[in-house]
Amino acid sequence: MTELAVAIRIQPTSSAEHGRSGQRNQVLQHMRTSPHRPWHARELATALALTHYDSFCVQLSHWTREGLLEKTANATYKLAPECLLRTETGGA
């Protein structure tokens, strides 16, 4: 009789994934659940279990300057048109 053992190892999430680009992707993905509405920064921070609210607000401002988000009111953002998926803009 021949036996085969398979071990599946899950690599721990790298610190880069928890860094700014990973966080940016999480924020954009969450905002795409309702892509045309404005999101308050505290709402996003709570939804993503982020604890450093002040630094998160700074990061949202940075992403706004990069053109990923649009600021609609104090601490309130929506996805920039360029960040909408084609299906969200009415494309094919």
Side-chain angles (χ1 to χ4, degrees), residues 19-72:
R20 298 297 180 209
S21 64
Q23 188 177 72
R24 180 188 64 221
N25 291 335
Q26 287 179 330
V27 168
L28 294 176
Q29 182 178 7
H30 185 76
M31 291 178 81
R32 284 184 178 124
T33 62
S34 187
H36 297 287
R37 80 172 184 90
W39 295 82
H40 193 273
R42 187 156 310 275
E43 177 184 20
L44 290 167
T46 300
L48 299 171
L50 302 174
T51 57
H52 303 295
Y53 178 72
D54 290 336
S55 63
F56 179 61
C57 287
V58 170
Q59 195 61 52
L60 289 171
S61 293
H62 180 75
W63 295 331
T64 300
R65 287 189 303 274
E66 288 181 348
L68 299 172
L69 304 175
E70 292 180 353
K71 189 168 186 174
T72 61

